[in-house]
Amino acid sequence: MRQTFDVRGGPEIGRTHLPLLRDTLNKKGVDGFYLPHEDEYQNEYQPEANQRLAWATGFTGSAGAALILADRAIVYVDGRYSIQILEQVDQDLFEIAAFAPPGPFDLIADMDLAGKVIGYDPRVMSPHTAKALRGALAQAGAVAKAMSKNPIDQSWKGRPRQPMTELVPQSTDFAGTSSADKRDEIAIALCKRGADAAVITAPPSLAWLLNIRAQDVKCSPLPLGRAILHSDGRVDLFVAPKKVTDAIREHLGNQVSIHDIADLNKGLSSLAGKTVMADPATASEWVFSTLKRNKAVILEAADPCALPKAKKNSAEIEGAKRAHERDAIAIARFLHWLDEGIEHGKTTEIDAVRKLEGLREETGALKDISFETISAFGPNGAMAHYRVNTASNATLEPDNLFLVDSGGQYFEGTTDITRTVCIGTPTAEMKKHYTLVLKGHIAMSTIRFPAGTTGTHLDTLARQPLWQAGLDYDHGTGHGVGAYLGVHEGPQRIAKGWNATPLAPGMIVSNEPGYYIAGKYGIRIENLQYVTDPVEMPGGYVPVMGFEALTLAPYARNLVDTDLLTKEEIEWVNSYLEQVSSTLLPDLAKYTETAEWLKAACAPF
């Protein structure tokens, strides 16, 4: 199994580790410490050694922060984790507060911290968030202190080692463009901006630019390292020496010089007097301060690899299609099993994860799961980011909803799909809520939009059916997805919060509206889709783009209330189901029972 079900986090962790951390802070002469979730690489999925927030508090969510004082400790989370936080954190030791990005700085500013010195680690904070923290602490009467060593690391006995997996080449058959051509493209962009070099700190950008992958991060084929890209196309790559093989040296060629990651400080120092591009959203304050200390001229700008990486080329789109078609066979077999193969009251959430992962393994092409499967029955489904473990493992009982959100990593691409089904007979309320979510999903599948449209402009389409009923959900509607990279990728995003990046052809985004009732059930429907080239519509004068579905799987027929759907919505669903059926049935020929099930599941409404 690629996924484990051990209990992670929990109140006992905070009870054990909080005193150790406070003792270290006292020895270091600071009155407190600000601890964000982010690590040195701004990773969503972190190596175990970098999961500092979880070590200190017991909270294992993918976003949050904490402020640790000698006599008070506060954990900050967003709406996605309002239920999880109550289960994992000892509320006698930690106060819990809600916050929104970029951090809980307005809440900190309102505190009385007069005369206190609060430490922070500049290696795990961006310059903007560090500045916001310093400003908030000053307003609260405190002084911020950048610490040369993270006190978590100093308190953490038996801290795991950093991952050391070997770098492997990503073939141009899958990448579509050689690393040399990518380096030349970005170098030209640097010259146009008047930059002598760019510091590449985000592992996905490093992987994309050099056409390399690794297994340093669970569920994402990422290499942990840094790079300096020069305006002539040369690259200085900084990685742990153990990761470098003769094959990777040959792949990278003589335009890429390989250095020990421990020498990054020297590499940044060598840029003295030069104009250096750095992204304040992904590079740490330590990177910026090191450049400033060495008299480099810093050009703050978005990671120059991020947007080209997001705009998938034709080979990457074709690879994504192949990956999704392969993945869809496993999904169809899994949905068939859910419908006809489980034992009500005996089959568990963990059984479902094992079944689905086993079916993906049977493709013979699975490299990893793209994230830990969300296998959530009934009340567990109300936690949007629920992770099943041996303590929470629920059985699939009749007459409630089961939500499964999962994905796979394949050389050709990355998948992410959510389907919600009813185990047994649904109630009228379940059907209504499911259909309202489906209506939003359809709206996001069928919309046409001109150049300049961002995900923020489209987000209300997915929510409108729910809003009309006085309902909503607390997560984004869509995230970018990489090409055999991270399952969550920017800079594009579909969400309420402002996103300044216009959607462009080749971008892959998820379409995943949902609805959740604490203590009862959760509903989410998710497809991945890519932005199509602009076309002129009959009678129109503005070329418009649209979305093409990558995910291929039927919806839950017994949860659809067709009385709530328009004629056009029914026609779209039927067209999509026909695409699912015609694409998958030839490959399901050897699974005759699943093929017959799929024909029924894809019958037109």
Side-chain angles (χ1 to χ4, degrees):
M1 284 295 297
R2 299 175 186 271
Q3 179 168 336
T4 61
F5 308 103
D6 53 302
V7 178
R8 297 180 195 162
E12 187 57 37
I13 289 178
R15 296 181 195 123
T16 301
H17 294 161
L18 184 59
L20 298 177
L21 176 56
R22 281 177 167 154
D23 183 58
T24 299
L25 297 178
N26 182 58
K27 292 176 180 177
K28 295 297 177 182
V30 294
D31 302 300
F33 184 70
Y34 178 76
L35 171 60
H37 174 271
E38 289 75 21
D39 70 354
E40 295 87 334
Y41 295 93
Q42 303 293 303
N43 282 321
E44 177 182 11
Y45 300 106
Q46 300 170 342
E48 189 177 351
N50 295 354
Q51 294 173 14
R52 299 180 177 96
L53 183 62
W55 180 90
T57 67
F59 171 64
T60 61
S62 63
L67 179 63
I68 309 299
L69 304 170
D71 58 354
R72 187 180 179 189
I74 309 167
V75 181
Y76 305 95
V77 294
D78 63 32
R80 294 173 296 171
Y81 299 106
S82 58
I83 299 174
Q84 179 178 335
I85 189 70
L86 298 177
E87 297 178 349
Q88 290 190 314
V89 168
D90 185 335
Q91 294 159 69
D92 290 331
L93 294 177
F94 295 92
E95 302 168 39
I96 297 170
F99 84 105
F105 306 121
D106 55 338
L107 301 177
I108 292 173
D110 290 336
M111 297 174 66
D112 180 8
L113 300 174
K116 295 186 182 299
V117 177
I118 307 300
Y120 71 94
D121 184 351
R123 289 171 174 78
V124 301
M125 295 185 68
S126 74
H128 289 176
T129 54
K131 181 180 178 180
L133 174 65
R134 289 193 297 267
L137 289 172
Q139 191 171 335
V143 175
K145 179 180 180 179
M147 304 185 74
S148 59
K149 294 183 179 180
N150 194 302
I152 302 288
D153 302 348
Q154 295 176 292
S155 307
W156 191 339
K157 298 175 182 177
R159 183 181 175 219
R161 295 178 180 273
Q162 292 290 334
M164 289 290 169
T165 64
E166 290 184 351
L167 304 180
V168 295
Q170 176 76 340
S171 167
T172 52
D173 292 342
F174 302 123
T177 305
S178 71
S179 173
D181 287 344
K182 290 178 180 180
R183 297 196 303 270
D184 288 344
E185 175 191 352
I186 304 303
I188 291 171
L190 296 184
C191 291
K192 289 181 178 179
R193 295 292 302 272
D196 299 303
V199 180
I200 307 300
T201 59
S205 293
L206 185 70
W208 176 86
L209 179 67
L210 300 178
N211 283 350
I212 57 176
R213 301 294 189 267
Q215 298 296 325
D216 285 343
V217 180
K218 186 177 182 180
C219 300
S220 298
L222 294 176
L224 296 185
R226 314 287 197 187
I228 298 173
L229 171 64
H230 300 273
S231 58
D232 60 2
R234 292 181 300 108
V235 169
D236 288 303
L237 172 63
F238 297 85
V239 294
K242 290 182 180 180
K243 299 180 181 182
V244 181
T245 64
D246 290 341
I248 207 69
R249 290 182 186 277
E250 181 180 355
H251 165 75
L252 293 173
N254 57 17
Q255 287 296 98
V256 178
S257 301
I258 302 174
H259 310 272
D260 192 325
I261 187 67
D263 294 330
L264 178 60
N265 189 25
K266 294 180 182 177
L268 296 177
S269 299
S270 71
L271 299 174
K274 296 184 177 181
T275 300
V276 182
M277 182 182 291
D279 186 351
T282 58
S284 70
E285 187 189 46
W286 177 84
V287 169
F288 275 75
S289 62
T290 302
L291 290 171
K292 289 177 182 177
R293 188 168 58 251
N294 287 281
K295 303 297 190 292
V297 179
I298 299 177
L299 174 60
E300 289 193 12
D303 181 334
C305 300
L307 191 57
K309 173 168 60 67
K311 297 177 181 179
K312 308 299 184 289
N313 57 43
S314 58
E316 290 171 319
I317 291 296
E318 287 305 310
K321 290 178 179 179
R322 292 195 299 273
H324 280 81
E325 288 173 10
R326 179 186 294 112
D327 202 61
I329 299 301
I331 292 294
R333 296 177 65 196
F334 176 72
L335 292 175
H336 174 214
W337 173 78
L338 278 179
D339 197 24
E340 299 181 357
I342 67 170
E343 295 184 74
H344 292 185
K346 292 185 178 180
T347 301
T348 68
E349 294 169 335
I350 290 177
D351 292 333
V353 175
R354 287 176 170 148
K355 180 68 174 182
L356 180 52
E357 186 175 315
L359 293 172
R360 282 194 167 106
E361 291 283 7
E362 286 184 29
T363 67
L366 185 71
K367 305 305 296 182
D368 201 348
I369 53 177
S370 58
F371 57 98
E372 291 186 312
T373 299
I374 299 172
S375 175
F377 177 75
N380 289 340
M383 293 181 278
H385 290 256
Y386 169 76
R387 172 191 169 274
V388 60
N389 58 54
T390 53
S392 68
N393 188 26
T395 57
L396 277 55
E397 305 282 353
D399 306 335
N400 208 338
L401 301 185
F402 176 60
L403 183 156
V404 58
D405 186 350
S406 69
Q409 293 282 11
Y410 304 91
F411 273 138
E412 298 95 335
T414 302
T415 72
D416 180 4
I417 172 176
T418 307
R419 287 296 185 266
T420 305
V421 302
C422 184
I423 306 300
T425 304
T427 64
E429 178 192 64
M430 292 174 184
K431 294 180 67 172
K432 174 185 176 182
H433 291 156
Y434 182 93
T435 307
L436 292 177
V437 172
L438 179 61
K439 286 171 73 70
H441 177 82
I442 295 170
M444 194 58 67
S445 301
T446 57
I447 184 63
R448 294 280 187 172
F449 51 93
T453 302
T454 74
T456 307
H457 295 134
L458 300 185
D459 182 74
T460 55
L461 296 171
R463 299 179 190 271
Q464 190 269 345
L466 288 162
W467 283 356
Q468 289 295 104
L471 310 174
D472 201 3
Y473 51 95
D474 285 334
H475 56 74
T477 299
H479 55 83
V481 178
Y484 187 44
L485 278 173
V487 74
H488 294 140
E489 175 183 90
Q492 77 278 15
R493 189 168 184 257
I494 304 173
K496 288 181 182 178
W498 174 245
N499 182 281
T501 302
L503 295 167
M507 287 182 172
I508 297 176
V509 295
S510 66
N511 169 6
E512 51 179 310
Y515 179 62
Y516 311 87
I517 305 177
K520 294 183 69 174
Y521 55 75
I523 297 167
R524 187 160 62 251
I525 303 172
E526 177 186 18
N527 282 358
L528 297 192
Q529 51 196 33
Y530 68 92
V531 181
T532 60
D533 291 329
V535 297
E536 294 185 1
M537 304 298 289
Y541 65 91
V542 177
V544 290
M545 295 170 278
F547 292 117
E548 183 72 25
L550 290 166
T551 302
L552 298 166
Y555 303 114
R557 295 187 69 85
N558 65 346
L559 284 170
V560 178
D561 184 347
T562 54
D563 290 339
L564 297 178
L565 298 178
T566 66
K567 176 184 176 183
E568 291 76 16
E569 289 169 335
I570 293 174
E571 288 176 349
W572 182 87
V573 171
N574 287 341
S575 176
Y576 173 75
L577 293 176
E578 169 58 28
Q579 179 188 2
V580 172
S581 177
S582 61
T583 304
L584 300 189
L585 282 176
D587 290 325
L588 284 172
K590 61 181 178 180
Y591 306 112
T592 55
E593 292 184 359
T594 298
E596 290 304 312
W597 174 88
L598 186 69
K599 290 177 184 177
C602 291
F605 283 95

